[in-house]
Structure formats: structure tokens, C-alpha cells
Amino acid sequence: MSIKRALTIAGSAARGGAGIQADLKTFQELDVFGTTVVTAIVASNSIKRRGIFPQSLEAVEAQLFTIAEDVGTDALKTGMLFTKEIISYVADWIKQSEVKNIVVDPVMIGKIGTALLQEDAMEAMRNELLPLATIITPNMPEASYLLDNMAINSVADLKVAAKKIHELGPKYVLVKGGRLVGPAVDVLYDGEQYYLLEAPRIDTIHTNGAGCTYSAAITAELAKGKTVPEAVIEAKKFITAAIRHSLSFKQGVGPTYHAAYGKYNETGCTVTVEKD
Ligand code: PXL
């Protein structure tokens, strides 16, 4: 049997809803074989931040080569990379690899306020990793941060931000409008046209790991051979279902439900294409 392979280079989120754990659950749901490079271990919940434990470059390198030598990779995503050293190392590794589908989720701050990228790592993210991306998937605060604190308050602003980030080098930019009011609109831009993806807004606070899950679903669909717009549309349906059926355990912000898309019949999303 042949199965496509997806790699996540990201942090371990002990709570299970975000990071490597969200990625693997999503890969499994979408029937791709998941591999992992753990960059840091995050032990925080809404009650207490017990710590972030970054892995050494040696550990990151050993994991990358272990996967490359044996299983191989059809698509990869990066999530929490935490330090500028890890970002530079991963960027150099991607350059010498033959992996074609590179999804960069520029993870900066978690839903419960944990800093997941060190302050001095932003330049490496912008200058070294971003130009290698097939697609980068910032939320509104991340897009704003990438653009020297540009204000983003509307769908029109999402489009401007997508275009400006595109100038930094990635092939596609997906700016997610999760923090707007009204329908949940995300903007995908390829340098020539905008795809506006719209789904109903789901009124819940339980969206921990939503960004990880969305970008993991894009990665899985790219691994299976979809084009970027096709992969993003499928992933938008996946994340909408996962948020609609999100989970709440004991306290605080709960995770999205990774199995929801396979389990329930969802209506999907509408797509409008606009020329630049
Ligand atoms: O959702 C962002 C995120 C990414 N990666 C790790 C995390 C989180 C948020 O909790 O812990 C490892």
C-alpha cells in the first residue's frame, strides 16, 4: 500500500490540542503518514505555565535526518520553531532537501498568551524561512507583526496584508480573519488573484490549536497532490468542522476536535475569486 507522507517541524503541546499533537491527529484524519521533528516541549495550560523546553540543534538535526533517510516526505509544515537558531537551521535544511510543498505557520503567541517565538527570532523568520514557503498562514496578529504592526481590522485589510507579505517571497499567503466580526473570512493570495474563503462564524472560545490544525490539513492535502487553492479550501472545511465541534475539558480554552470533519456532514465554505 502506498501512502503519502507529511512532516511537522513544531513544538510538543502537552495538552494535546495544538502543536505536534494537533498536526499528527490531523494527518491521521486525512490519511497521510505523519512524521515529527520536535523543536521544543511546551508545558502550559490556562492555569499554569510550567515552561518551554527547547531542544538542541543536535536533536533537531538528528530527527530531520532520521526521517529523510528512511520514510521521506511529500509535504512539510513548520509550526513553533522558537529560536532564531532553529529557524536558520530548518531553513538551511529545507534548501538542501527535495521537499516541494513547504507550509509555514508563523506561530508566535498561543491562545492562552504563551510566547512561542523568541523576540530576536522574527528577522530569521522573515528573511530566511518565509521566502522558501509554498504557503505561509498567518493569523491577524502574526500578519500585523510581520508587517511592522500594520493595523488589520477588515477583509480589505486582510487583502492588503496578504499582498504585502507576498512581496517577502512566499508563493501563496493565507491571512486568516478569525478575529474579525461577521463570517469567518480568510484571504488566499498568489500574486495575481485573491481567493476569499468564507464559512459561518462559530461562537466558541474553544479554539486552542486551530491554526496548527488548519495548516496541518493544508499540508496533508498538498502531500496528496492537491493544488494550493484546493488544499486550502479542503482544510477550511476541516477546521470549520473541528471548531464547530470543539471540546471543553476542565478549565479555560479547549481544543478543536480533529475527528469532526470525518464524523459529521459539514456544509463547507464558499469561495470568491477576485483579480488583483
Ligand atoms: O496554537 C499554537 C501553538 C503551537 N505550538 C505549540 C503550542 C501552541 C499553543 O498552545 O503549544 C507547541
Side-chain angles (χ1 to χ4, degrees):
M1 173 181 159
S2 117
I3 187 166
K4 298 298 182 186
R5 305 143 302 173
L7 161 63
T8 169
I9 306 171
S12 163
R15 292 200 304 154
I20 289 268
Q21 287 78 359
D23 296 340
L24 274 184
K25 291 173 191 184
T26 302
F27 292 164
Q28 184 77 10
E29 286 296 320
L30 293 171
D31 195 26
V32 297
F33 187 81
T35 56
T36 61
V37 170
V38 179
T39 56
I41 294 170
V42 179
S44 5
N45 56 30
S46 317
I47 303 151
K48 190 163 176 180
R49 294 181 195 166
R50 288 190 168 72
I52 295 182
F53 306 91
Q55 300 300 292
S56 63
L57 279 186
E58 203 184 350
V60 171
E61 176 176 43
Q63 294 172 89
L64 277 168
F65 280 95
T66 298
I67 297 157
E69 274 162 17
D70 187 348
V71 181
T73 302
D74 295 297
L76 71 78
K77 68 162 275 189
T78 63
M80 173 189 180
L81 298 175
F82 198 49
T83 68
K84 62 174 193 252
E85 288 79 16
I86 295 179
I87 293 175
S88 295
Y89 184 81
V90 168
D92 287 345
W93 187 87
I94 288 173
K95 272 189 226 150
Q96 61 77 49
S97 81
E98 287 174 359
V99 182
K100 299 230 159 29
N101 301 301
I102 313 292
V103 179
V104 173
D105 183 7
V107 171
M108 294 176 195
I109 302 170
K111 290 262 154 46
I112 53 175
T114 319
L116 302 170
L117 184 72
Q118 290 182 338
E119 268 178 31
D120 65 357
M122 196 55 207
E123 280 316 296
M125 167 84 75
R126 205 188 332 235
N127 300 332
E128 297 175 44
L129 193 57
L130 233 120
L132 305 177
T134 309
I135 176 169
I136 177 168
T137 62
N139 60 25
M140 288 161 53
E142 290 159 353
S144 170
Y145 205 32
L146 281 166
L147 297 171
D148 297 320
N149 298 320
M150 173 191 159
I152 303 176
N153 296 308
S154 63
V155 174
D157 293 344
L158 297 181
K159 289 169 67 179
V160 174
K163 184 163 180 160
K164 283 182 188 252
I165 295 172
H166 190 265
E167 284 163 13
L168 301 172
K171 288 199 185 69
Y172 286 81
V173 181
L174 177 68
V175 185
K176 299 168 293 183
R179 286 162 173 82
L180 293 176
V181 288
V185 177
D186 305 328
V187 172
L188 177 68
Y189 181 64
D190 62 5
E192 288 177 3
Q193 50 192 15
Y194 299 96
Y195 301 76
L196 275 62
L197 287 78
E198 182 177 326
R201 176 163 304 277
I202 295 143
D203 185 21
T204 176
I205 61 160
H206 301 303
T207 57
N208 169 241
C212 308
T213 303
Y214 197 172
S215 59
I218 295 170
T219 310
E221 295 303 323
L222 291 176
K224 291 191 280 190
K226 291 232 169 85
T227 65
V228 173
E230 286 167 355
V232 172
I233 292 165
E234 191 64 12
K236 173 83 168 166
K237 295 179 193 167
F238 188 96
I239 190 59
T240 302
I243 294 173
R244 190 188 299 283
H245 301 281
S246 64
L247 307 169
S248 158
F249 294 109
K250 290 186 181 161
Q251 284 193 56
V253 177
T256 75
Y257 184 35
H258 304 94
Y261 188 53
K263 224 169 178 168
Y264 306 104
N265 246 341
E266 293 293 330
T267 46
C269 74
T270 56
V271 183
T272 315
V273 183
E274 292 176 9
K275 288 257 175 274
D276 192 6

